[in-house]
């Protein structure tokens, strides 16, 4: 019994031992398998992929160029050229991270590897697959830290993919989670990034301020503090900006960031008295003297200018901005900022639009086009260029017109003097060039100068050779100095005011009749730039001076157009109402009855209306009395005219559509009825002209070509300002051309209806002075024989070879034939020759239209012989 029990106990113990041993062996196997996969994944494929991503992020940071004139971004911008340079690392990171996922699927590094795949896709611009990857991690990973890390990256990807609503949704999810320190920092930075893109600087500051507190790296802290300082400075909180710039400097930033922090610190220092102003100015000068800042001199001058603008010293600011431009050699963006600031000063403060245009033009040519707001800068530059073009047109044409009033001998003498002066200047240039060339080529020991003399003339050791020779005998120093001078000033003539690249403007456009010798010389110099010698230049100059009445009229037209455009620029673009009034009133006084007068009167009425009601009413009265049918008069009377007119136009458009459908169906009578009704109800609407043209088309179908052409001609004469004028002219021309070709093809089909007025026609060749002699002889005959019948003569060109004298009109065929017989029996002494063909006949009004279209005299003479001389 005991043995049996012992055996059973032994057996049970063996079974338990075997079970324990088996479990331990299984545990040991799984333990070592897990350890193997974790170690292999982490220190092989994952490690390499992580190093690849680190290289990409380093390249992005290294290639990024900070633009300190703008608020620094929370994150570095990802440039496509940088990504193209690290494409190999991105592809390799995806391959290596995928190996960790595929070969070590039971390790702890599967989802971190997925995260690296997502980052590689994000940096490569493959946002859709990056989003898919991050979402997969969030859904399947049990590690909350990697889920949070993927969530923050998903939020940033949505932001850069322009899906900010999704980014906000992700942020709401993350906000409810318990994040570790690093993920919290990244979350705060990503939110600050989103708010910066939205220009919500309050929330940007709130998040970035929290992020900087949990940022472990001093380098990053310095950048964030600097960005916070920029935001506070932008918002006008100089005290907070000052504190953050100070914190930036205490974080031991890189030298460039440290320099700009010091520079901005001077801008936000609170100043209470003149002593403080002097202190800051000395601080800037100290920065200029520091050799370490040699690459930043242009930026220092720029900030000095901003400081002076802030303290209402624009003249000094202009000086510093010009220095910034001169010192800016390899930084086109900074040079562009300086040009832009000068343009803004001359535009907004000095109101000198000509100089503003020059600086804006330089800004556009220098500033990189990826600059934020470049299109607006370009737009203002274009406006100012147009402004200067109009002003120059007025000045140039007025000057040329003034020259045209000089007598021939005085004008010739004046031009000769101008050309002689040009030749003298060219010779001076050549002489100066030869002198500089000789000086550059020469060498010599020269005389020694003491240090006081050197310092007095700015000659330092950098320009001296071993022998400490005099500067101007040192070829290398002179060559260097010349290069610096040319880069700064250009090639200047040795003359007074040589620093001035812009000469004084030519004349005063408000007094165009006054022209000074300098102004005229400037104009002539512009005109004669390309003439090779004095004779050619004299001819070129004379050709550009408006000496004939047509040329003078053309010049005056250019001035008239320029005044109108200039007034519009003053009024609408520059919002200089006083200058707009002066320009418009000058236009009205110089060009009474101008085509622009209705619009100008209306604009003057609008300008004066808020400030001078009496003046406004006077312009309104002048407009409505002189141009009562113009749209401007209607707008002056009824400011809602356009709105009401638009409603009426919609009604007319609906009626037009119905009438046009009838026209297409050839139901011309119904179409005509609708058109007549519309024109009767709304005769003056802008859309009425469309109805009128449709009515003419309908009449042409009902009553024929002559009625069609007559109504088109009436429309053209009665509606000179219609937008359909060109269309009506084209219809009329096409109809006449078609009729002429049809008549020429079929031959003239003259009408045998003679109970209507007649004309007498005399046809003669276009030779010599016939166009003067023959009409005069015929008029003498009429005065002698028919002086009491009030006959009128007209001289018309029939074709290239012949003209006609037309006498009208005779009420009956018999009266016309009597005149015909009397004329042919008279002893009028026409220059008749057997070789010169002359013809004369009488013709009805209807047949004259046919004759004048076919222009075939022989065809009508056959008809004349048949029906008038049987």
């Amino acid at each position: 019994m005991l043995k049996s029990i012992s055996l059973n106990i032994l057996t049970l113990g063996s079974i338990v031992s075997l079970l324990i041993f088996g479990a331990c062996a299984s545990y040991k196997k799984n333990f070592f398998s897990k350890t193997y996969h974790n170690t292999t994944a982490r220190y092989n494929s994952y490690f390499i992929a992580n190093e690849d991503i680190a290289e990409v992020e380093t390249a992005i940071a290294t290639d990024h160029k900070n633009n300190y004139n703008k608020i620094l971004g929370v994150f570095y911008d990802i440039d496509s050229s940088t990504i193209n340079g690290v494409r190999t690392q991105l592809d390799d990171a995806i391959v290596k991270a995928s190996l960790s996922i595929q070969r070590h699927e039971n390790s702890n590094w599967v989802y971190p590897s997925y995260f690296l795949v997502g980052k590689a896709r994000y940096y490569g611009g493959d946002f859709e697959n990056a989003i898919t990857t991050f979402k997969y991690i969030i859904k399947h990973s049990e590690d909350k830290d990697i889920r949070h890390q993927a969530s923050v990256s998903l939020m940033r990807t949505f932001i850069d993919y322009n899906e900010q609503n999704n980014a906000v949704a992700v942020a709401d999810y993350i906000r409810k989670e318990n994040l570790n320190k690093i993920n919290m920092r990244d979350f705060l930075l990503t939110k600050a990034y989103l708010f910066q893109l939205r220009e919500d600087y309050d929330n940007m500051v709130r998040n970035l301020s929290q992020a900087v507190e949990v940022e472990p790296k001093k380098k990053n802290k310095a950048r964030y503090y600097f960005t916070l300082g920029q935001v506070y400075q932008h918002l006008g909180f100089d005290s907070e900006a000052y504190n953050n710039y100070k914190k930036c400097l205490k974080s031991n930033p890189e030298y460039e960031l440290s320099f700009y922090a010091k520079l901005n610190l001077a801008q936000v220092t609170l100043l209470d008295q003149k002593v403080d102003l002097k202190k800051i100015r000395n601080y800037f000068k100290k920065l200029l003297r520091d050799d370490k800042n040699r690459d930043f001199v242009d930026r220092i001058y720029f900030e000095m200018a901003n400081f002076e603008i802030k303290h209402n010293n624009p003249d000094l600011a202009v000086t510093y901005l010009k220095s910034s431009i001169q010192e800016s050699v390899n930084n086109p963006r900074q040079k562009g900022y300086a040009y832009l600031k000068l343009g803004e000063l001359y535009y907004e403060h000095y109101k000198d639009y000509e100089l503003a245009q020059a600086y804006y033009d330089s800004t556009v040519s220098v500033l990189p086009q990826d600059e934020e707001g470049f299109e607006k800068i370009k737009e203002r530059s274009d406006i100012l260029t147009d402004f200067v073009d109009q002003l120059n047109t007025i000045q140039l044409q007025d000057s040329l017109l003034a020259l045209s009033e000089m007598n021939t001998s005085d004008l010739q003498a004046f031009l000769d003097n101008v050309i002689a002066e040009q030749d003298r200047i060219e010779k001076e240039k050549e002489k100066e060039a030869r002198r500089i060339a000789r000086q550059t080529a020469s060498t010599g020991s020269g005389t020694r100068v003491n240090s006081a003399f050197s310092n007095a003339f700015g000659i330092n050791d950098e320009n001296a050779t071993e022998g400490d020779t005099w500067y101007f005998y040192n070829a290398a120093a002179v060559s260097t100095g010349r290069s610096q001078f040319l880069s700064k000033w250009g090639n200047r003539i040795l003359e007074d005011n040589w620093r001035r690249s812009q000469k004084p403007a030519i004349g005063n456009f408000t007094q165009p009749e006054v022209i000074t010798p300098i102004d005229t010389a400037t104009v002539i110099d512009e005109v004669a730039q390309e003439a090779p010698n004095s004779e050619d230049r004299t001819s070129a100059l004379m050709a550009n001076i408006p000496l004939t009445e047509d040329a003078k009229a053309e010049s005056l037209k250019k001035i008239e157009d320029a005044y109108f455009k200039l007034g519009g620029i003053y009024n609408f673009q520059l919002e200089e109402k006083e200058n707009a009034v002066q320009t418009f009133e000058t236009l009205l006084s110089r060009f009474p009855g101008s085509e622009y007068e209705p619009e100008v009167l209306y604009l003057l009425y609008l300008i004066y209306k808020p400030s001078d009601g009496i003046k406004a009413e006077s312009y309104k009265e002048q407009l409505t009395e002189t141009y009562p049918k113009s749209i401007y008069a209607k707008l002056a009377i009824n400011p809602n005219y356009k709105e009401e007119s638009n409603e009426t136009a919609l009604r007319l458009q609906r009626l037009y559509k119905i009438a046009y459908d009838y026209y297409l169906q050839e139901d011309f009578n119904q179409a005509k009825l609708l058109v007549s009704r519309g024109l009767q109800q709304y005769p003056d609407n802008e859309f009425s002209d469309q109805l009128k043209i449709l009515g003419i088309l309908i009449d042409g179908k009902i009553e024929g070509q002559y009625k069609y052409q007559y109504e088109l001609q009436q429309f053209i004469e009665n509606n000179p300002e219609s937008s359909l004028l060109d269309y009506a002219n084209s219809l009329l021309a096409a109809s006449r051309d078609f009729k002429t070709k049809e008549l020429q093809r079929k031959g003239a089909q003259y009408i045998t209806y003679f109970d209507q007025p007649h004309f007498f026609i005399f046809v003669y060749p276009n030779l010599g002075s016939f166009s003067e002699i023959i009409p005069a002889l015929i008029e003498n005959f009429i005065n002698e024989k028919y002086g009491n019948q009030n006959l009128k003569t007209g001289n018309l060109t029939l074709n290239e070879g012949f003209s006609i004298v037309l006498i009208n009109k005779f009420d009956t065929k018999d009266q016309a034939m009597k005149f015909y017989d009397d004329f042919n029996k008279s002893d009028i002494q026409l220059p008749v020759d057997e070789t010169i063909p002359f013809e004369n006949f009488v013709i009805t009004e209807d047949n004259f239209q046919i004759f004048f279209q076919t222009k075939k005299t022989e065809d009508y003479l056959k008809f004349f012989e048949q029906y008038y001389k049987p």
Side-chain angles (χ1 to χ4, degrees), residues 578-593:
E578 291 184 6
N579 283 329
V581 167
Q582 181 183 357
T583 306
F584 284 143
E585 289 181 342
T586 302
L587 170 61
L588 295 178
S589 64
R590 286 195 65 181
F591 303 97

mmCIF file with all atom_site columns, all heavy atoms in Angstrom, residues 578-593:
data_model
loop_
_atom_site.group_PDB
_atom_site.id
_atom_site.type_symbol
_atom_site.label_atom_id
_atom_site.label_alt_id
_atom_site.label_comp_id
_atom_site.label_asym_id
_atom_site.label_entity_id
_atom_site.label_seq_id
_atom_site.pdbx_PDB_ins_code
_atom_site.Cartn_x
_atom_site.Cartn_y
_atom_site.Cartn_z
_atom_site.occupancy
_atom_site.B_iso_or_equiv
_atom_site.pdbx_formal_charge
_atom_site.auth_seq_id
_atom_site.auth_comp_id
_atom_site.auth_asym_id
_atom_site.auth_atom_id
_atom_site.pdbx_PDB_model_num
ATOM 1   N N   . GLU A 1 578 ? -5.474  116.009 -54.811 1.00 0.00 ? 578 GLU A N   1
ATOM 2   C CA  . GLU A 1 578 ? -5.127  117.374 -55.225 1.00 0.00 ? 578 GLU A CA  1
ATOM 3   C C   . GLU A 1 578 ? -4.377  117.371 -56.548 1.00 0.00 ? 578 GLU A C   1
ATOM 4   O O   . GLU A 1 578 ? -4.657  118.176 -57.439 1.00 0.00 ? 578 GLU A O   1
ATOM 5   C CB  . GLU A 1 578 ? -4.300  118.050 -54.131 1.00 0.00 ? 578 GLU A CB  1
ATOM 6   C CG  . GLU A 1 578 ? -5.089  118.352 -52.865 1.00 0.00 ? 578 GLU A CG  1
ATOM 7   C CD  . GLU A 1 578 ? -4.250  119.110 -51.849 1.00 0.00 ? 578 GLU A CD  1
ATOM 8   O OE1 . GLU A 1 578 ? -3.107  119.492 -52.196 1.00 0.00 ? 578 GLU A OE1 1
ATOM 9   O OE2 . GLU A 1 578 ? -4.729  119.308 -50.719 1.00 0.00 ? 578 GLU A OE2 1
ATOM 10  N N   . ASN A 1 579 ? -3.415  116.462 -56.669 1.00 0.00 ? 579 ASN A N   1
ATOM 11  C CA  . ASN A 1 579 ? -2.674  116.371 -57.932 1.00 0.00 ? 579 ASN A CA  1
ATOM 12  C C   . ASN A 1 579 ? -3.576  115.887 -59.068 1.00 0.00 ? 579 ASN A C   1
ATOM 13  O O   . ASN A 1 579 ? -3.406  116.290 -60.227 1.00 0.00 ? 579 ASN A O   1
ATOM 14  C CB  . ASN A 1 579 ? -1.480  115.429 -57.776 1.00 0.00 ? 579 ASN A CB  1
ATOM 15  C CG  . ASN A 1 579 ? -0.335  116.073 -57.031 1.00 0.00 ? 579 ASN A CG  1
ATOM 16  O OD1 . ASN A 1 579 ? -0.142  117.277 -57.107 1.00 0.00 ? 579 ASN A OD1 1
ATOM 17  N ND2 . ASN A 1 579 ? 0.412   115.279 -56.283 1.00 0.00 ? 579 ASN A ND2 1
ATOM 18  N N   . ALA A 1 580 ? -4.533  115.014 -58.735 1.00 0.00 ? 580 ALA A N   1
ATOM 19  C CA  . ALA A 1 580 ? -5.477  114.554 -59.762 1.00 0.00 ? 580 ALA A CA  1
ATOM 20  C C   . ALA A 1 580 ? -6.308  115.724 -60.273 1.00 0.00 ? 580 ALA A C   1
ATOM 21  O O   . ALA A 1 580 ? -6.498  115.881 -61.488 1.00 0.00 ? 580 ALA A O   1
ATOM 22  C CB  . ALA A 1 580 ? -6.384  113.463 -59.183 1.00 0.00 ? 580 ALA A CB  1
ATOM 23  N N   . VAL A 1 581 ? -6.796  116.567 -59.353 1.00 0.00 ? 581 VAL A N   1
ATOM 24  C CA  . VAL A 1 581 ? -7.586  117.741 -59.745 1.00 0.00 ? 581 VAL A CA  1
ATOM 25  C C   . VAL A 1 581 ? -6.764  118.667 -60.625 1.00 0.00 ? 581 VAL A C   1
ATOM 26  O O   . VAL A 1 581 ? -7.214  119.134 -61.679 1.00 0.00 ? 581 VAL A O   1
ATOM 27  C CB  . VAL A 1 581 ? -8.095  118.487 -58.492 1.00 0.00 ? 581 VAL A CB  1
ATOM 28  C CG1 . VAL A 1 581 ? -8.635  119.865 -58.875 1.00 0.00 ? 581 VAL A CG1 1
ATOM 29  C CG2 . VAL A 1 581 ? -9.177  117.673 -57.806 1.00 0.00 ? 581 VAL A CG2 1
ATOM 30  N N   . GLN A 1 582 ? -5.528  118.949 -60.200 1.00 0.00 ? 582 GLN A N   1
ATOM 31  C CA  . GLN A 1 582 ? -4.671  119.849 -60.970 1.00 0.00 ? 582 GLN A CA  1
ATOM 32  C C   . GLN A 1 582 ? -4.425  119.309 -62.374 1.00 0.00 ? 582 GLN A C   1
ATOM 33  O O   . GLN A 1 582 ? -4.486  120.050 -63.370 1.00 0.00 ? 582 GLN A O   1
ATOM 34  C CB  . GLN A 1 582 ? -3.332  120.026 -60.243 1.00 0.00 ? 582 GLN A CB  1
ATOM 35  C CG  . GLN A 1 582 ? -2.371  120.961 -60.960 1.00 0.00 ? 582 GLN A CG  1
ATOM 36  C CD  . GLN A 1 582 ? -1.031  121.047 -60.252 1.00 0.00 ? 582 GLN A CD  1
ATOM 37  O OE1 . GLN A 1 582 ? -0.834  120.449 -59.202 1.00 0.00 ? 582 GLN A OE1 1
ATOM 38  N NE2 . GLN A 1 582 ? -0.107  121.787 -60.825 1.00 0.00 ? 582 GLN A NE2 1
ATOM 39  N N   . THR A 1 583 ? -4.191  118.000 -62.462 1.00 0.00 ? 583 THR A N   1
ATOM 40  C CA  . THR A 1 583 ? -3.929  117.390 -63.774 1.00 0.00 ? 583 THR A CA  1
ATOM 41  C C   . THR A 1 583 ? -5.163  117.408 -64.661 1.00 0.00 ? 583 THR A C   1
ATOM 42  O O   . THR A 1 583 ? -5.095  117.762 -65.848 1.00 0.00 ? 583 THR A O   1
ATOM 43  C CB  . THR A 1 583 ? -3.443  115.937 -63.580 1.00 0.00 ? 583 THR A CB  1
ATOM 44  O OG1 . THR A 1 583 ? -2.318  115.926 -62.693 1.00 0.00 ? 583 THR A OG1 1
ATOM 45  C CG2 . THR A 1 583 ? -3.039  115.319 -64.904 1.00 0.00 ? 583 THR A CG2 1
ATOM 46  N N   . PHE A 1 584 ? -6.311  117.035 -64.099 1.00 0.00 ? 584 PHE A N   1
ATOM 47  C CA  . PHE A 1 584 ? -7.546  117.031 -64.882 1.00 0.00 ? 584 PHE A CA  1
ATOM 48  C C   . PHE A 1 584 ? -7.929  118.445 -65.335 1.00 0.00 ? 584 PHE A C   1
ATOM 49  O O   . PHE A 1 584 ? -8.375  118.639 -66.473 1.00 0.00 ? 584 PHE A O   1
ATOM 50  C CB  . PHE A 1 584 ? -8.676  116.418 -64.064 1.00 0.00 ? 584 PHE A CB  1
ATOM 51  C CG  . PHE A 1 584 ? -8.617  114.920 -63.969 1.00 0.00 ? 584 PHE A CG  1
ATOM 52  C CD1 . PHE A 1 584 ? -8.975  114.262 -62.797 1.00 0.00 ? 584 PHE A CD1 1
ATOM 53  C CD2 . PHE A 1 584 ? -8.220  114.152 -65.051 1.00 0.00 ? 584 PHE A CD2 1
ATOM 54  C CE1 . PHE A 1 584 ? -8.935  112.883 -62.708 1.00 0.00 ? 584 PHE A CE1 1
ATOM 55  C CE2 . PHE A 1 584 ? -8.172  112.756 -64.968 1.00 0.00 ? 584 PHE A CE2 1
ATOM 56  C CZ  . PHE A 1 584 ? -8.528  112.129 -63.786 1.00 0.00 ? 584 PHE A CZ  1
ATOM 57  N N   . GLU A 1 585 ? -7.784  119.425 -64.445 1.00 0.00 ? 585 GLU A N   1
ATOM 58  C CA  . GLU A 1 585 ? -8.141  120.796 -64.822 1.00 0.00 ? 585 GLU A CA  1
ATOM 59  C C   . GLU A 1 585 ? -7.191  121.343 -65.885 1.00 0.00 ? 585 GLU A C   1
ATOM 60  O O   . GLU A 1 585 ? -7.600  122.108 -66.761 1.00 0.00 ? 585 GLU A O   1
ATOM 61  C CB  . GLU A 1 585 ? -8.150  121.682 -63.575 1.00 0.00 ? 585 GLU A CB  1
ATOM 62  C CG  . GLU A 1 585 ? -9.329  121.368 -62.648 1.00 0.00 ? 585 GLU A CG  1
ATOM 63  C CD  . GLU A 1 585 ? -9.366  122.253 -61.416 1.00 0.00 ? 585 GLU A CD  1
ATOM 64  O OE1 . GLU A 1 585 ? -8.314  122.858 -61.097 1.00 0.00 ? 585 GLU A OE1 1
ATOM 65  O OE2 . GLU A 1 585 ? -10.423 122.338 -60.766 1.00 0.00 ? 585 GLU A OE2 1
ATOM 66  N N   . THR A 1 586 ? -5.936  120.947 -65.813 1.00 0.00 ? 586 THR A N   1
ATOM 67  C CA  . THR A 1 586 ? -4.986  121.336 -66.863 1.00 0.00 ? 586 THR A CA  1
ATOM 68  C C   . THR A 1 586 ? -5.405  120.733 -68.203 1.00 0.00 ? 586 THR A C   1
ATOM 69  O O   . THR A 1 586 ? -5.347  121.385 -69.247 1.00 0.00 ? 586 THR A O   1
ATOM 70  C CB  . THR A 1 586 ? -3.560  120.873 -66.506 1.00 0.00 ? 586 THR A CB  1
ATOM 71  O OG1 . THR A 1 586 ? -3.181  121.436 -65.254 1.00 0.00 ? 586 THR A OG1 1
ATOM 72  C CG2 . THR A 1 586 ? -2.561  121.300 -67.566 1.00 0.00 ? 586 THR A CG2 1
ATOM 73  N N   . LEU A 1 587 ? -5.857  119.474 -68.169 1.00 0.00 ? 587 LEU A N   1
ATOM 74  C CA  . LEU A 1 587 ? -6.334  118.813 -69.387 1.00 0.00 ? 587 LEU A CA  1
ATOM 75  C C   . LEU A 1 587 ? -7.507  119.579 -69.989 1.00 0.00 ? 587 LEU A C   1
ATOM 76  O O   . LEU A 1 587 ? -7.537  119.841 -71.204 1.00 0.00 ? 587 LEU A O   1
ATOM 77  C CB  . LEU A 1 587 ? -6.743  117.379 -69.059 1.00 0.00 ? 587 LEU A CB  1
ATOM 78  C CG  . LEU A 1 587 ? -7.482  116.593 -70.158 1.00 0.00 ? 587 LEU A CG  1
ATOM 79  C CD1 . LEU A 1 587 ? -6.617  116.446 -71.399 1.00 0.00 ? 587 LEU A CD1 1
ATOM 80  C CD2 . LEU A 1 587 ? -7.898  115.226 -69.642 1.00 0.00 ? 587 LEU A CD2 1
ATOM 81  N N   . LEU A 1 588 ? -8.465  119.971 -69.153 1.00 0.00 ? 588 LEU A N   1
ATOM 82  C CA  . LEU A 1 588 ? -9.644  120.682 -69.660 1.00 0.00 ? 588 LEU A CA  1
ATOM 83  C C   . LEU A 1 588 ? -9.289  122.048 -70.222 1.00 0.00 ? 588 LEU A C   1
ATOM 84  O O   . LEU A 1 588 ? -9.862  122.479 -71.224 1.00 0.00 ? 588 LEU A O   1
ATOM 85  C CB  . LEU A 1 588 ? -10.681 120.836 -68.539 1.00 0.00 ? 588 LEU A CB  1
ATOM 86  C CG  . LEU A 1 588 ? -11.306 119.541 -68.013 1.00 0.00 ? 588 LEU A CG  1
ATOM 87  C CD1 . LEU A 1 588 ? -12.262 119.844 -66.875 1.00 0.00 ? 588 LEU A CD1 1
ATOM 88  C CD2 . LEU A 1 588 ? -12.019 118.780 -69.123 1.00 0.00 ? 588 LEU A CD2 1
ATOM 89  N N   . SER A 1 589 ? -8.331  122.726 -69.582 1.00 0.00 ? 589 SER A N   1
ATOM 90  C CA  . SER A 1 589 ? -7.976  124.069 -70.046 1.00 0.00 ? 589 SER A CA  1
ATOM 91  C C   . SER A 1 589 ? -7.130  124.028 -71.310 1.00 0.00 ? 589 SER A C   1
ATOM 92  O O   . SER A 1 589 ? -7.285  124.866 -72.203 1.00 0.00 ? 589 SER A O   1
ATOM 93  C CB  . SER A 1 589 ? -7.233  124.826 -68.939 1.00 0.00 ? 589 SER A CB  1
ATOM 94  O OG  . SER A 1 589 ? -6.000  124.196 -68.634 1.00 0.00 ? 589 SER A OG  1
ATOM 95  N N   . ARG A 1 590 ? -6.239  123.044 -71.415 1.00 0.00 ? 590 ARG A N   1
ATOM 96  C CA  . ARG A 1 590 ? -5.380  122.961 -72.601 1.00 0.00 ? 590 ARG A CA  1
ATOM 97  C C   . ARG A 1 590 ? -6.086  122.343 -73.794 1.00 0.00 ? 590 ARG A C   1
ATOM 98  O O   . ARG A 1 590 ? -5.750  122.636 -74.940 1.00 0.00 ? 590 ARG A O   1
ATOM 99  C CB  . ARG A 1 590 ? -4.113  122.146 -72.290 1.00 0.00 ? 590 ARG A CB  1
ATOM 100 C CG  . ARG A 1 590 ? -3.096  122.854 -71.437 1.00 0.00 ? 590 ARG A CG  1
ATOM 101 C CD  . ARG A 1 590 ? -1.754  122.133 -71.487 1.00 0.00 ? 590 ARG A CD  1
ATOM 102 N NE  . ARG A 1 590 ? -1.162  122.163 -72.811 1.00 0.00 ? 590 ARG A NE  1
ATOM 103 C CZ  . ARG A 1 590 ? -0.009  121.587 -73.133 1.00 0.00 ? 590 ARG A CZ  1
ATOM 104 N NH1 . ARG A 1 590 ? 0.679   120.945 -72.197 1.00 0.00 ? 590 ARG A NH1 1
ATOM 105 N NH2 . ARG A 1 590 ? 0.471   121.660 -74.355 1.00 0.00 ? 590 ARG A NH2 1
ATOM 106 N N   . PHE A 1 591 ? -7.074  121.460 -73.520 1.00 0.00 ? 591 PHE A N   1
ATOM 107 C CA  . PHE A 1 591 ? -7.727  120.737 -74.613 1.00 0.00 ? 591 PHE A CA  1
ATOM 108 C C   . PHE A 1 591 ? -9.244  120.829 -74.464 1.00 0.00 ? 591 PHE A C   1
ATOM 109 O O   . PHE A 1 591 ? -9.913  119.841 -74.130 1.00 0.00 ? 591 PHE A O   1
ATOM 110 C CB  . PHE A 1 591 ? -7.276  119.272 -74.620 1.00 0.00 ? 591 PHE A CB  1
ATOM 111 C CG  . PHE A 1 591 ? -5.788  119.094 -74.739 1.00 0.00 ? 591 PHE A CG  1
ATOM 112 C CD1 . PHE A 1 591 ? -4.997  118.897 -73.608 1.00 0.00 ? 591 PHE A CD1 1
ATOM 113 C CD2 . PHE A 1 591 ? -5.168  119.151 -75.980 1.00 0.00 ? 591 PHE A CD2 1
ATOM 114 C CE1 . PHE A 1 591 ? -3.627  118.745 -73.716 1.00 0.00 ? 591 PHE A CE1 1
ATOM 115 C CE2 . PHE A 1 591 ? -3.791  119.002 -76.096 1.00 0.00 ? 591 PHE A CE2 1
ATOM 116 C CZ  . PHE A 1 591 ? -3.016  118.803 -74.962 1.00 0.00 ? 591 PHE A CZ  1
ATOM 117 N N   . PRO A 1 592 ? -9.811  122.010 -74.685 1.00 0.00 ? 592 PRO A N   1
ATOM 118 C CA  . PRO A 1 592 ? -11.277 122.149 -74.600 1.00 0.00 ? 592 PRO A CA  1
ATOM 119 C C   . PRO A 1 592 ? -11.953 121.272 -75.645 1.00 0.00 ? 592 PRO A C   1
ATOM 120 O O   . PRO A 1 592 ? -11.492 121.172 -76.786 1.00 0.00 ? 592 PRO A O   1
ATOM 121 C CB  . PRO A 1 592 ? -11.504 123.642 -74.880 1.00 0.00 ? 592 PRO A CB  1
ATOM 122 C CG  . PRO A 1 592 ? -10.266 124.112 -75.572 1.00 0.00 ? 592 PRO A CG  1
ATOM 123 C CD  . PRO A 1 592 ? -9.144  123.280 -75.053 1.00 0.00 ? 592 PRO A CD  1
ATOM 124 N N   . GLY A 1 593 ? -13.039 120.611 -75.229 1.00 0.00 ? 593 GLY A N   1
ATOM 125 C CA  . GLY A 1 593 ? -13.735 119.706 -76.139 1.00 0.00 ? 593 GLY A CA  1
ATOM 126 C C   . GLY A 1 593 ? -13.048 118.375 -76.306 1.00 0.00 ? 593 GLY A C   1
ATOM 127 O O   . GLY A 1 593 ? -13.357 117.631 -77.248 1.00 0.00 ? 593 GLY A O   1
#
